[in-house]
Structures are given as C-alpha cells and as structure tokens.
Amino acid sequence: MKRRALSTGVRWKISIAIAAVGALVAVALSLVVHNSARVSMLDNAREVQLERLLFAQRMYDSTKEAKFGTKINDPALPPELRAKAQQGRRATYVQEADDGGVPDVWAAVPMGHGSVLSLHSKFADRSTTIMKDLDRSLLIGSVSVVFGGCALGVLVGGQLSRRLRRAAAAAVRVAQGNTEVRVGEAIGGVVRDETDELARAVDALTDALNERIEAERRVTADIAHELRTPVTGLLTAAELLPPGRPSELVRDRAQALRTLVEDVLEVARLDGASERAELQELALGEFVARRVAVLDPAVEVKVVHDSWVCTDPRRLERILGNLLANAAKHGSAPVEVTVEGRVVRVRDHGPGFPEALLREGPSRFRTGATDRAGQGHGLGLTIAAGQARVLGARLTFRNAAPTGVPERAGGGGAIAVLWLPEHAPTTTGSFPVLELADPA
C-alpha cells in the first residue's frame, strides 16, 4: 500500500527547525534565570531576616522584651529550624506555601535555658513583584526569539528554496530536450553552497548524456545510411524475380527492411534537432478528413469545430499516418478521428496503450507489451512524437477504460491526442515574437 507523503517546502522546514531550537534554548535559559533570581532573592531575604533577628536579640538582652515581631518559643516554628536552634546554632528557613503562594521566611537563634527566639515574615512583596516582572520579560523574550527564528528561517530557507526551484526548472527544461540550458547558470547567486555542487553535477550528467545520445544517434544514422544502398539494390533485384509466392515473400521482407531503414534515418534526423517545419495555413478539419480518407477510408472522421492553423502539412500527415497505423496494428475497430479546434484525437477500441508507454512515453525498438512480440519495431509513435515536437505541438497518450474501471487499466481503447500550438514555430525552430498592438 502506497504511503501518503506530506509535502512541504524547504523554507518552512528550516523555519520550523530554527524556531524549535530557539524555543528550546529560550525555555532553558528562562528556567535557569528564573531559578537563579529566585534563589538569590530568597538568600538575600534570609540574610535580612537574620540581621533583624540579631538586632531584636540584642534589644531583648537589654529590655527582656521580644520586639519587632519576634517570639519566644513560637509553637509554629518549623521542626527543622527548632532542631538547629536547640543545637546552639543560628539558622534561617524558607517554608513554601501549600497553595503555591508567597513563601514564609524564618530565622531563629538560641537563648539561655533552651529557649528559642524566632522571627517570621512573608517573602517581600517587592521581591514578588520583581519576580513577576522578570517572568513576564522572560516570556516576551522567549516569544520574540521564536518569532525571530521563524523570520530568519523563512529568509534563509526562502533563498535556498528559490535556488532549488530554479535548478529544478532548469533540469526540467533539459529533460524536455533543451540541452543548451545550464543549471549552474540558472540558479545564479554569489554565495556558493551545496546547491552549486548539485548544479555542477547535473550539468556534468547532462553533458555526458548528450555526448552519449549524440554518439548513438550518429552510429544509428551511419548504419542506416550504409544499409540504404544495399537494401535498395535488394529491393530492385527482388522485383526482377519471376512471379510466385517465394518472390512475393522476398519483396515483402525487402520492403519491410527498407521501411525500417527509412524510419531509423528519420528518427536520427529528429534526434539531431535539425529538422525545421515548412509552415502553411490550412483548415485543420478539412485537411484531416481528406488525408484520413486517403490513408484509411474505414476510419470515421468527426469535425466538431474546424480551425485554421499554421503548420507543416507533410509532418502533420506523417503523424496522422503513424497514429492510424498504430491503431490498426495494435487496436481494434472502429477507429475514430475527432477534430475540435486545434486538437486532433485518434481513438481505437482495443486493449489500450501499455502501462510503460503511458508512464515513460514512446520508446524506440520496444512495443511495450508481451503480446506484441514480433509485431513492430516501436518507431511509429516515436516518429509521431518527434514530428510533433518539430511542429511545436504536444502528443499525449491515454486509455479510455470502460465505466467503473480505472482509466490506466485499459480495455476501453487507446486515445492519442495531438495538441497543435496557437503560434507555430518559425523556420529557425524558435517561436515568433508577437508585437503588441498600439493602444492608440
């Protein structure tokens, strides 16, 4: 079972990480500062309490009266403090309130005959106010640190995210066939980091793949060129054979070999990106209906909405022929062609396109299905897709599944859709620059 992934950006991950670390540091420092300040204030209160008690003790020695709130043998005296005084030691004690309120500060000194002089008071209100102000300041500081960390994370992560997005966009353009794009130039920037290393690695990979593809294309083209002459001679010699079934078989195989060589040469030219469209204005619906009637009169053509397009009629006819040939070879009747504006759809009612083709697109020398072994070399759709790129068009493939069945499962027929562009490429392979109309 496929797990669902949570999608989020790098900037938010960095922001959350910085904010979390800032929050942990702020909480830890706040606890340390709070406890240190409280302990310091309590120690100071205990010293003040003991000094007051010693002063009251001297007054008691002179007047024999307990003054300044002191008491002799106070029954509320904490047992711990009483034990210290009975041992002949002066001591202080902080008694925490049961309700978590202001603590009590005690001081006790031993007197003669086992008596204990003690002083008891609440923790100073001023000290309590100071602690509250300190806690408030620590809270405000912690919140500020968290929000500051978030802002810093957004800034740092945003810069990194933009560089990564530029690198991804450049890589997509390279994957679409624009081999002149360099990821390192696309991301830009002054500071060098791991993103630049990634860009250099992608550029090196692109160069290596381009060199390999170019080498394979040249080898393929050279082999096809070398085969063209002997195959043509073989086909000519086959025509001179006496009539008969063996002669027909030889001529058919020679013609199939010649077709394969021509297809391989065409693929090599398309891979070389040197093909240019010869544009003409034509009514798409009328053109498709006329060409389909010549290619396969049994195919039904439906023109929902006709449209004038600027395209190369020879390449468009080549695309239609390959799509119809693929439908006739691998699909089932009826085959339908629909023209709607600039969109041409070719549908059959066979088992549909194989999963590999839907996922990866047409692949040469591979038909993509085990039940098609020996039924073609897989160049028809590859040539159609290549010719569509020359026209600046887009060729997509999908399956029309029966009702209640997932579309990619097939079984309801294969649909190839050709999307012709609104503005066709020029003879140099680029797209024309449209001049804006004068607002006057």
Side-chain angles (χ1 to χ4, degrees):
M1 181 177 180
K2 187 177 180 180
R3 297 176 59 184
R4 297 184 60 184
L6 179 61
S7 177
T8 182
V10 174
R11 68 169 65 186
W12 299 115
K13 291 180 180 178
I14 296 178
S15 177
I16 292 173
I18 294 179
V21 173
L24 291 176
V25 173
V27 170
L29 291 178
S30 298
L31 291 176
V32 171
V33 172
H34 173 85
N35 291 332
S36 298
R38 189 172 187 274
V39 169
S40 177
M41 288 186 177
L42 287 175
D43 290 343
N44 183 65
R46 293 167 71 165
E47 292 177 1
V48 172
Q49 192 80 329
L50 184 58
E51 290 177 359
R52 291 173 59 190
L53 180 60
L54 293 177
F55 180 76
Q57 181 186 17
R58 290 193 293 270
M59 295 295 296
Y60 179 82
D61 292 340
S62 301
T63 62
K64 302 301 180 181
E65 294 181 1
K67 296 182 179 181
F68 307 112
T70 58
K71 294 182 180 180
I72 301 294
N73 297 327
D74 189 351
L77 186 66
E80 297 87 350
L81 190 57
R82 186 185 301 277
K84 295 290 184 181
Q86 289 177 352
Q87 294 175 4
R89 299 170 58 183
R90 294 178 296 183
T92 58
Y93 182 77
V94 176
Q95 186 177 25
E96 299 290 346
D98 295 336
D99 57 357
V102 180
D104 296 328
V105 182
W106 291 83
V109 294
M111 304 293 288
H113 308 292
S115 299
V116 178
L117 179 65
S118 62
L119 178 62
H120 166 233
S121 64
K122 291 285 186 180
F123 190 55
D125 293 339
R126 181 172 178 273
S127 298
T128 304
T129 303
I130 293 175
M131 288 300 301
K132 291 182 179 179
D133 292 340
L134 177 62
D135 291 342
R136 187 180 301 108
S137 299
L138 290 175
L139 178 61
I140 294 175
S142 300
V143 173
S144 301
V145 167
V146 172
F147 279 101
C150 287
L152 179 61
V154 169
L155 292 177
V156 175
Q159 182 180 6
L160 179 60
S161 178
R162 284 192 296 271
R163 289 166 63 85
L164 290 175
R165 290 181 185 277
R166 291 173 184 172
V172 169
R173 292 199 297 272
V174 172
Q176 292 174 346
N178 191 351
T179 57
E180 301 299 325
V181 175
R182 287 294 176 267
V183 179
E185 298 176 357
I187 61 176
V190 178
V191 180
R192 300 301 178 185
D193 53 18
E194 290 79 359
T195 310
D196 297 275
E197 297 179 7
L198 175 62
R200 287 194 294 271
V202 173
D203 289 339
L205 176 62
T206 302
D207 293 337
L209 290 177
N210 288 337
E211 292 177 1
R212 180 175 177 180
I213 292 173
E214 180 63 19
E216 292 180 354
R217 187 191 67 82
R218 289 179 179 176
V219 170
T220 303
D222 292 343
I223 293 175
H225 275 293
E226 293 296 330
L227 288 175
R228 172 183 278 180
T229 300
V231 168
T232 302
L234 177 62
L235 187 61
T236 303
E239 294 293 337
L240 300 177
L241 294 175
R245 182 58 180 170
S247 300
E248 293 179 3
L249 292 176
V250 172
R251 283 193 292 269
D252 290 343
R253 293 301 89 195
Q255 183 61 44
L257 183 58
R258 180 178 181 179
T259 302
L260 175 59
V261 171
E262 295 296 337
D263 287 348
V264 170
L265 283 173
E266 186 172 358
V267 170
R269 290 194 300 269
L270 293 173
D271 287 344
S274 59
E275 294 289 286
R276 296 293 180 261
E278 298 179 2
L279 305 179
Q280 296 181 18
E281 290 282 346
L282 54 87
L284 183 60
E286 179 185 353
F287 176 84
V288 171
R290 187 170 61 252
R291 290 298 187 270
V292 170
V294 174
L295 295 171
D296 190 348
V299 175
E300 178 185 357
V301 179
K302 181 179 180 181
V303 180
V304 178
H305 172 65
D306 203 353
S307 176
W308 283 86
V309 296
C310 184
T311 189
D312 188 330
R314 181 181 63 85
R315 299 183 188 276
L316 180 57
E317 183 176 2
R318 177 68 162 152
I319 296 172
L320 288 174
N322 284 12
L323 294 180
L324 292 175
N326 182 81
K329 182 181 295 183
H330 304 301
S332 300
V335 178
E336 303 169 354
V337 177
T338 304
V339 180
E340 185 174 358
R342 298 176 178 272
V343 180
V344 181
R345 294 180 179 86
V346 179
R347 175 183 179 177
D348 62 57
H349 289 75
F353 290 116
E355 182 67 24
L357 187 144
L358 296 177
R359 183 177 61 253
E360 304 170 5
S363 179
R364 67 197 66 176
F365 303 112
R366 185 182 69 182
T367 58
T370 57
D371 59 341
R372 295 182 180 181
Q375 296 187 22
H377 43 71
L379 293 180
L381 295 182
T382 302
I383 293 174
Q387 295 289 6
R389 286 194 298 271
V390 176
L391 296 179
R394 183 162 57 98
L395 184 60
T396 61
F397 306 94
R398 65 183 179 89
N399 288 332
T403 305
V405 178
E407 182 175 288
R408 299 180 71 88
I415 301 179
V417 185
L418 178 65
W419 310 74
L420 291 173
E422 183 176 359
H423 303 292
T426 63
T427 55
T428 61
S430 61
F431 285 83
V433 178
L434 301 180
E435 297 183 358
L436 298 179
D438 189 353

